[in-house]
Amino acid sequence: MEAPVDSRPPPTLGVFDSGVGGLTVLQALRARMPEVALHYVADAGHAPYGDRSSDYIRERSLRVAEHLRAAGARMVVVACNTATAHAVNAMRERWADWPVVGIEPGVKPAVAATRNGRIGVMATTATIASRRYEALVAAHAADVSLVSQPCPGLVTLIERGDLDTPELGDLIDRYCEPLKAAGVDTVLLGCTHYPLVQNRIQAALGEGVQLLNIEDAVARQAQRLWESLTTTDGVAAQAPTQRHTKGLAPLVLQSTGDPGPLQHLARVALGWQDAQATHIDV
Ligand code: DGL
């Protein structure tokens, strides 16, 4: 006898960032959980968050998260260090029943990885100015020398979708200079946009400097939570083929700005050849 067909729509995992940066987290999520339907929103109409006030970042993050929730996201991954720093508490307060996974600069792994006790953090101005970041540094970096390098303008250039411009190279050089001068041997990419230009940052810093990012660690944490959730829900997280046709689960890409760069980078930088992105107003 055939097993009864489960006609409920598959649960969706919501993901958002101020723009294209969260694609780096999305890529890690897709690699770990290919059977999970993903709904991604780039708040590109309001990027960069990193130059905005805490209130603005919180308000936008709540709006975008509400959109994902209303569309049926079973949990949300905040694929943005800046939004995590300024909005994750407000999100958890507002939706106590809705799991929220954030991303924060991996100060602890960077401290563990340094050999000369000097680390650099590249992040947005708003992340570095946040209380969460201050607490992270106080908790984990008391015994190392840490240089926090804000990188205004970098997200704006990456948002254009062309990762090869000389202008982008010049800005990367400018922000890497103080880190080189400080003799750091480990640099942490504390913004999800930066891994998209990781090769250029590596070239600017030199091969002797190790670059760290924590997108995969966040995806691992999200996967653990997702599996416990969907098991509780009675949805067969471990048996995707019962719920979906073979292959990758659906991927929805939306942008509150121009969807062009999001679609372009999903195709070119991530290799998702048939990715489609659309505009939404949130
Ligand atoms: N990707 C965001 C982050 O991780 C960039 C924030 C911005 O828009 O400035 O912080």
Side-chain angles (χ1 to χ4, degrees):
M1 205 171 100
E2 271 186 36
V5 175
D6 187 345
S7 59
R8 288 173 296 172
T12 305
L13 174 56
V15 185
F16 78 91
D17 176 41
S18 63
V20 297
L23 285 176
T24 58
V25 178
L26 204 62
Q27 184 178 35
L29 287 166
R30 181 118 272 194
R32 289 188 166 272
M33 313 156 76
E35 76 282 9
V36 173
L38 299 169
H39 181 177
Y40 181 87
V41 174
D43 196 16
H46 303 87
Y49 283 0
D51 301 335
R52 307 283 198 171
S53 70
S54 191
D55 285 352
Y56 185 93
I57 298 164
R58 192 171 53 251
E59 198 261 329
R60 283 309 307 165
S61 300
L62 288 168
R63 287 263 282 271
V64 173
E66 178 61 55
H67 166 74
L68 289 166
R69 193 176 150 89
R74 185 66 186 82
M75 66 179 248
V76 66
V77 175
V78 184
C80 175
N81 293 262
T82 312
T84 300
H86 293 277
V88 82
N89 289 346
M91 291 173 64
R92 288 179 178 144
E93 267 167 36
R94 182 169 298 186
W95 300 294
D97 62 332
W98 199 42
V100 177
V101 175
I103 181 166
E104 289 185 311
V107 174
K108 196 176 171 187
V111 169
T114 182
R115 294 172 305 273
N116 71 1
R118 285 178 238 157
I119 66 177
V121 180
M122 299 173 78
T124 68
T125 306
T127 293
I128 289 172
S130 69
R131 279 200 287 274
R132 280 184 83 99
Y133 180 70
E134 193 186 345
L136 207 56
V137 171
H140 301 296
D143 299 329
V144 298
S145 153
L146 180 144
V147 180
S148 299
Q149 178 62 53
C151 306
L154 209 47
V155 163
T156 305
L157 292 185
I158 294 170
E159 278 298 305
R160 290 182 191 162
D162 184 351
L163 307 181
D164 296 319
T165 63
E167 200 184 354
L168 193 48
D170 290 346
L171 204 55
I172 289 171
D173 283 345
R174 192 196 311 167
Y175 295 139
C176 288
E177 211 43 60
L179 301 175
K180 283 161 66 177
V184 302
D185 71 354
T186 304
V187 170
L188 174 57
L189 302 181
C191 168
T192 53
H193 280 71
Y194 304 165
L196 290 168
V197 288
Q198 181 154 344
N199 292 347
R200 301 195 75 176
I201 294 174
Q202 186 74 68
L205 288 169
E207 288 304 320
V209 175
Q210 57 177 335
L211 287 186
L212 296 184
N213 63 58
I214 63 158
E215 278 69 16
D216 186 57
V218 170
R220 197 166 58 234
Q221 188 196 345
Q223 182 183 24
R224 264 199 303 269
L225 201 52
W226 179 265
E227 283 171 3
S228 68
L229 258 186
T230 48
T231 305
T232 317
D233 281 354
V235 174
Q238 300 297 344
T241 49
Q242 290 173 8
R243 297 191 51 82
H244 310 299
T245 49
K246 270 205 155 49
L248 296 175
L251 169 68
V252 172
L253 297 176
Q254 295 177 324
S255 173
T256 62
D258 175 6
L262 180 64
Q263 180 170 300
H264 171 72
L265 289 177
R267 291 181 179 190
V268 173
L270 269 48
W272 298 342
Q273 300 305 340
D274 50 3
Q276 299 281 350
T278 55
H279 173 83
I280 44 151
D281 287 313
V282 175

